[in-house]
Amino acid sequence: MAIRLIAIDMDGTLLNPKCEITPRVQQAIQTAHKKGVAVVLATGRPFIGIERYLKELELNREGQYCITNNGALVQTTINGKCLLEVLLTFDDYLYFERLSRLLDIHFQAFSKIEMFTSNKNISKFTIREAWMTGIPLSYCAVNDMNSNLTFPKLMMIGSSERLDSVVSSLPQVAVERFNIMKSAPCYLEILNKQANKGLSLCFLAKRMGFIREEVMAIGDQENDLSMLEYAGISVAMGNSIKKVKKVAQIVTKSNQEDGVARVIEDFL
């Protein structure tokens, strides 16, 4: 069956290690468009962190969509209007902020337009996230936070080894009630239990009139597993973690070797 929708993760997949879209990848995506194939960026980043790439790929048009915050939001690419929202509450924020202090790990929270940290000694990983995505960063003590806020996602951040230790120490109730997974070695993402890339990709495919057999998904990290499991054609990058390669039907080249372009070229 022909592929009519391609969902592509960004960091470690679409983007090379310099956070660039190479000319070959850009050309492959443009060729897909000319053949009538829809391309959707499916990322852990907030909308502000993908706008320039949407423009670069000419995806910022009417009738185009993106999946952001690891599936917590499905948005239009032209103005970021939300079609689907699966959010965390302020009580969820308070729970994980307290838990992060108990586990002695840095913590950050995302609204739709801003990132907050309650850590006075702001983590270098938090600063990197703000720099990489362009999302405004604010230090805000817990007592000063707006209790009306809701959050697409929360994050615990630290070295890979430290986060592995944190994962093993998480209360079972947290694991059962929330969707918790790594999106990168230094980022542990916390979402509503019903928020993931797979569910959002399913929602979007149905909205666009496609069945799962017509969907291809490409990714590299744990947060991509749900959309790879949903898609009719699942593709792991050559630089993917072992879990992703095990689930995927196809393993393409790495993000340093135009892996996204190669698999699109092969299918189109």
Side-chain angles (χ1 to χ4, degrees), residues 3 24 39 53 69 78 94 105 115-116 137 152 172 262:
I3 297 300
R24 184 174 177 181
V39 176
Y53 298 108
N69 294 277
I78 196 166
L94 292 176
I105 192 76
M115 178 167 63
F116 301 93
L137 168 64
Q172 188 60 31
R262 289 170 186 261

Side-chain angles (χ1 to χ4, degrees), residues 106 108 115 122-130 157-160 186-187:
H106 282 88
Q108 58 198 33
M115 178 167 63
I122 298 177
S123 167
K124 64 181 181 181
F125 299 109
T126 297
I127 294 171
R128 180 180 183 276
E129 177 82 0
I157 50 199
S159 69
S160 179
C186 301
Y187 297 146

